[in-house]
């Protein structure tokens, strides 16, 4: 049986010269391709040596990981692929209540956390039945690497079918708890192979004559930084300039040594605020890609004026990886269009089906607004152990309902105009009002709350809380925000909180969030 393990394809793309540089970090560390191969083999051997109980359903063992960004964290991802474990990345901002839910739901055989969180994370993990909890810090210390050091640096990747589970990525929900999107080796590989071609990754030219060089400055616990960026570079045998944390000055300083950059819109906004960003600095860059949140046309235009480059905007989701993209070069499927059109997310990518339907499920004429539905080899198989939720999110004929609202014009360009799901995208992170409202509503003295998204110059959009007190209760807005901080990841905390006597409602008694959004929309405007 052919081995569809994603790692096999990534490894096959490593350059012939394994001693050439694969990664340079902003801390001055250098990793060769051989280093990545050997280190991931050692960690894979460690994972395979563990006594892991068989899952009654036949699902592969899971390794849940909440660690700071580091090359070793990426090596752990590669090791999980090699060993046939499903990788479960977790945002470092998640607090204990959130982690408890993910671990309880996914039942990982192995949990990896930072040394400083070991106390509370291990308690949660052991209680949930996980037997192995390791630590991994961003300075190459921790028990994971100590234990892996006792294992061999050669490993045969476990044979996987294309539809075998490779990763579970949790996405919050408009109702109820987070859902784990199950991505297979085939989902990930097919999308990566297609993007390598569509975005014109090249193994020649570039600043060192060895082809593309990627500046990696995104977190690696979400689809954008973990899959789109890392797979792109590895599958092309491209060097990465690895930034542990996004710093606009450091990225701009690295531009002359790189060719490709991927970011969420906030990263572009922050770089535009730097005087050093100019055409000369960006002269050797081949491609700037933006996604995960809407890129304002002002940012798109200002970037072109300042750098001479036109940002390529694309659209994707955790459940589907990449769906649409503006063209890199002329796309003959779309009448040879080569224009990257600001405000649009471009064309459906090769192999991806995109259709726009009305609320009754019927097609809408070209250019009309409707619900975006998708299908393709890239689309996930369902939510981890939630068959009913999975069934709700797919149409009877097998298309995934993205929850995004948009249109496709006669030339094929897709534009996202809104969302049918109640979701705020803040700095590229998804924030679900329902989740925050339910935590707020449980707090003493709170009768009801509503969270709405309003425009923000840095994060694009941020949450604002509007809260009603119970009769006789006195609420303190700052106190509520501090209490939320103890329960939820920091990026989910509303930036402002207002206590009001009532919320606007329609005749059905439903809170009219559109009126609240209108009321607070100027809150973060420049004075
Ligand atoms: C940080 N803060 C945020 C925030 N990030 N608030 C709202 N939204 C965010 N995204 C707040 C913190 O709560 C904290 O507040 C303060 O900012 C400083 O925290 P920090 O961690 O030091 O912030 P910073 O490093 O500046 O982070 C900003 C950022 C980061 C833009 C670099 O958010 C980021 O890396 N975003 C990228 C997200 C991403 O990769 N998304 C891809 C998802 S995949 P306080 O009050 O506590 O001090 C996907 C699919 C697809 O969507 O299509 O790609
Ligand atoms: P996530 O669940 O974190 O994967 O977020 C996926 C969501 O991000 C999508 O459903 C869209 O709403 C949004 N998104 C991703 N890329 C873009 C984009 N280029 N423009 C607008 N929204 C986007």
């Amino acid at each position: 049986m052919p081995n569809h393990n994603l790692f096999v394809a990534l490894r096959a793309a490593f350059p012939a010269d394994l001693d050439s540089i694969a990664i340079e970090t902003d801390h001055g560390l250098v990793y060769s391709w051989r280093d990545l191969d050997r280190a991931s083999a050692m960690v894979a051997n460690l994972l395979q040596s563990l006594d892991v109980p068989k899952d009654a359903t036949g699902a592969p063992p899971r390794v849940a990981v909440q660690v700071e960004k580091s090359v070793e964290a990426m090596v752990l991802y590669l090791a999980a692929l090699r060993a046939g474990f499903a990788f479960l990345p977790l945002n470092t901002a998640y607090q204990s209540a959130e982690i408890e839910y993910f671990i309880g739901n996914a039942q990982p055989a192995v949990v990896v956390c930072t040394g400083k969180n070991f106390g509370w994370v291990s308690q949660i993990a052991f209680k949930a039945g996980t037997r192995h909890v390791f630590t991994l810090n961003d300075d190459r210390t921790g028990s994971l690497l100590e234990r892996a050091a006792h294992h061999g640096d050669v490993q045969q990747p476990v044979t996987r079918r294309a539809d075998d589970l490779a990763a579970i990525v949790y996405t919050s929900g408009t109702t109820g708890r987070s859902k784990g999107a199950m991505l297979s080796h085939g989902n990930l590989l097919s999308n990566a192979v297609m993007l390598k071609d569509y975005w014109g990754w090249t193994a020649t030219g570039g600043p060192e004559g060895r082809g593309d060089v990627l500046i990696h400055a995104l977190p690696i616990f979400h689809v954008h930084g973990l899959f789109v960026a890392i797979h792109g570079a590895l599958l092309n045998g491209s060097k990465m300039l690895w930034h542990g944390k996004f710093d606009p000055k450091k990225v701009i300083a690295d531009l002359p040594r790189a060719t490709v950059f991927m970011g969420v819109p906030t990263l572009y906004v922050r770089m535009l605020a730097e005087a050093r960003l100019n055409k000369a600095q960006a002269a050797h860059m081949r491609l700037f890609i933006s996604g995960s949140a809407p890129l304002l046309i002002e940012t798109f235009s200002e970037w072109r004026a300042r750098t001479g480059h036109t940002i390529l905007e694309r659209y994707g989701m955790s459940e589907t990886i990449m769906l649409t993209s503006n063209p890199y070069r002329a796309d003959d499927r779309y009448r040879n269009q080569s224009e990257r059109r600001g405000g649009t997310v471009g064309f459906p990518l090769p192999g991806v089906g995109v259709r726009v339907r009305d609320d009754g499920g019927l097609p809408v004429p070209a250019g009309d607004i409707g619900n975006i539905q998708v299908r393709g080899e890239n689309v996930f198989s369902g939510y981890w152990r939630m068959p009913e939720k999975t069934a709700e999110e797919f149409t009877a004929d097998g298309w995934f309902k993205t929850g995004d609202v948009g249109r496709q014009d006669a030339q094929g360009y897709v534009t996202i105009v809104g969302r049918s799901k109640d979701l705020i995208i803040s700095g590229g992170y998804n924030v679900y009002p329902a989740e925050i409202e339910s935590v707020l509503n449980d707090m003493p003295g709170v009768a009801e709350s509503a969270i709405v998204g309003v425009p923000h110059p840095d994060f694009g959009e941020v949450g604002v809380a509007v809260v009603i007190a119970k009769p006789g209760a006195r609420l303190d807005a700052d106190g509520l925000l501090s209490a939320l901080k103890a329960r939820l990841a920091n990026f989910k905390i509303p930036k402002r909180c207002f206590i009001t006597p009532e919320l606007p409602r329609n005749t059905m008694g439903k809170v009219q969030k559109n009126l609240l959004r209108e009321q607070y929309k100027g809150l973060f405007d420049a004075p």
Side-chain angles (χ1 to χ4, degrees):
M1 167 166 126
N3 191 354
H4 292 278
N5 190 317
L6 168 62
F7 181 80
V8 172
L10 298 175
R11 175 66 184 81
F14 282 17
D17 179 6
L18 285 179
D19 293 315
S20 59
I21 298 176
I23 299 183
E24 275 179 55
T25 75
D26 51 352
H27 286 98
L29 296 175
V30 172
Y31 296 76
S32 68
W33 293 93
R34 195 183 302 283
D35 293 334
L36 298 186
D37 188 33
R38 289 169 57 173
S40 58
M42 289 162 88
V43 178
N45 282 328
L46 165 63
L47 291 175
Q48 287 183 284
S49 75
L50 300 173
D51 149 41
V52 167
K54 271 244 169 317
D55 195 295
T57 63
R62 279 78 62 202
V63 49
V65 179
Q66 190 197 30
V67 299
E68 298 296 337
K69 182 176 178 181
S70 68
V71 175
E72 288 68 27
M74 183 192 85
V75 163
L76 171 57
Y77 165 57
L78 299 178
L81 293 175
R82 291 181 83 139
F85 278 55
F87 191 71
L88 200 162
L90 294 166
N91 194 316
T92 45
Y94 292 146
Q95 301 291 310
S96 56
E98 293 160 306
I99 295 294
E100 191 167 4
Y101 170 74
F102 295 127
I103 291 184
N105 186 250
Q107 297 177 298
V110 180
V111 169
V112 184
C113 64
T114 58
K116 83 175 168 15
N117 291 347
F118 180 79
W120 64 267
V121 175
S122 61
Q123 216 172 17
I124 290 171
F126 292 139
K127 212 170 96 196
T130 300
R131 292 196 202 155
H132 307 280
V133 182
F134 296 103
T135 58
L136 176 63
N137 303 311
D138 59 2
D139 59 359
R140 292 177 294 155
T141 62
S143 59
L144 184 84
L145 299 179
E146 282 163 20
R147 289 279 302 275
H150 299 287
H151 289 268
D153 61 5
V154 177
Q155 187 261 4
Q156 192 60 36
V158 167
T159 300
R160 296 280 96 170
R161 290 196 323 251
D163 60 358
D164 278 335
L165 185 64
I168 302 180
V169 183
Y170 275 88
T171 69
S172 296
T174 38
T175 52
R177 302 309 303 259
S178 290
K179 302 164 286 187
M182 297 191 287
L183 293 164
S184 67
H185 287 259
N187 293 145
L188 296 171
L189 181 60
S190 62
N191 208 242
V193 167
M194 177 273 297
L195 289 176
K196 173 173 148 58
D197 176 55
Y198 197 78
W199 287 343
W201 284 90
T202 162
T204 55
E208 295 169 14
R210 285 173 175 267
D212 278 319
V213 176
L214 173 77
I215 297 181
H216 194 302
L218 285 164
I220 57 167
F221 30 67
H222 291 293
V223 160
H224 198 163
L226 181 63
F227 299 143
V228 190
I230 289 178
H231 293 166
L234 294 185
L235 207 53
N236 194 53
S238 276
K239 180 161 106 179
M240 284 189 259
L241 304 178
W242 188 267
H243 293 228
K245 197 169 168 10
F246 171 71
D247 173 339
K249 289 190 170 55
K250 286 188 179 175
V251 170
I252 293 169
D254 262 351
L255 291 178
R257 302 200 300 139
T259 60
V260 182
F261 176 75
M262 295 186 194
V264 301
T266 301
L267 273 50
Y268 288 98
V269 169
R270 291 189 182 180
M271 286 199 276
L272 281 169
E274 297 293 328
R276 207 176 156 203
L277 181 76
N278 56 33
K279 290 195 169 109
Q281 197 67 12
H284 294 100
M285 288 293 290
R286 181 176 70 77
L287 187 56
F288 288 96
I289 300 173
S290 174
S292 308
L295 180 74
L296 291 182
I297 193 82
E298 293 81 10
T299 313
F300 174 86
S301 305
E302 204 187 329
W303 191 268
R304 180 143 67 185
R306 284 277 293 285
T307 67
H309 287 273
T310 305
I311 296 176
L312 177 153
E313 184 171 5
R314 81 340 174 246
Y315 155 59
M317 290 184 79
S318 301
E319 287 92 336
T320 63
I321 337 167
M322 295 300 99
L323 290 166
T324 73
S325 169
N326 271 278
Y328 172 66
R329 45 172 107 81
D331 191 322
D332 54 16
R333 290 166 313 139
Y334 295 101
R335 303 180 200 141
N336 270 318
Q337 278 289 345
S338 60
E339 187 195 354
R340 294 181 206 159
R341 208 172 277 178
T344 82
V345 292
F347 306 127
L349 282 159
V352 179
V354 173
R355 69 184 192 186
V356 185
R357 295 278 150 138
D358 68 15
D359 289 342
L362 295 171
V364 302
D368 280 13
I369 290 171
N371 303 306
I372 298 180
Q373 301 180 351
V374 298
R375 71 170 177 196
E377 244 186 295
N378 54 308
V379 176
F380 77 134
S381 58
Y383 295 109
W384 172 257
R385 293 188 179 159
M386 289 188 185
E388 327 74 45
K389 288 259 179 258
T390 303
E392 278 169 28
E393 304 297 336
F394 281 88
T395 64
D397 58 348
W399 291 66
F400 174 60
K401 304 176 195 167
T402 62
D404 292 308
V405 174
R407 60 182 137 79
Q408 185 170 26
D409 69 16
Q411 284 172 307
Y413 285 94
V414 176
T415 303
I416 313 263
V417 299
R419 304 166 200 129
S420 60
K421 52 199 173 191
D422 190 11
L423 161 72
I424 299 165
I425 304 186
S426 183
Y429 286 141
N430 287 4
V431 177
Y432 282 88
E435 182 186 11
I436 302 157
E437 288 159 4
S438 90
V439 177
L440 265 176
N441 295 348
D442 279 348
M443 288 184 183
V446 173
E448 200 184 349
S449 62
I451 308 287
V452 290
V454 300
H456 188 272
D458 183 32
F459 293 121
E461 199 179 12
V462 294
V464 169
V466 188
V467 181
I468 313 183
K470 281 188 177 149
R474 282 175 65 96
L475 290 177
D476 162 42
D478 289 339
L480 288 177
L481 292 180
S482 314
L484 274 181
K485 264 197 166 174
R487 300 280 305 276
L488 295 170
N490 60 7
F491 62 86
K492 296 181 187 170
I493 310 303
K495 298 290 182 217
R496 295 286 293 278
C497 177
F498 297 94
I499 316 288
T500 60
E502 58 188 17
L503 293 169
R505 291 175 194 282
N506 63 16
T507 47
M508 311 288 289
K510 200 167 174 300
V511 176
Q512 290 174 298
K513 288 198 167 180
N514 54 332
L515 296 184
L516 291 174
R517 272 192 285 272
E518 191 57 30
Q519 184 178 349
Y520 294 107
K521 72 176 184 204
L523 212 51
F524 300 97
D525 285 354

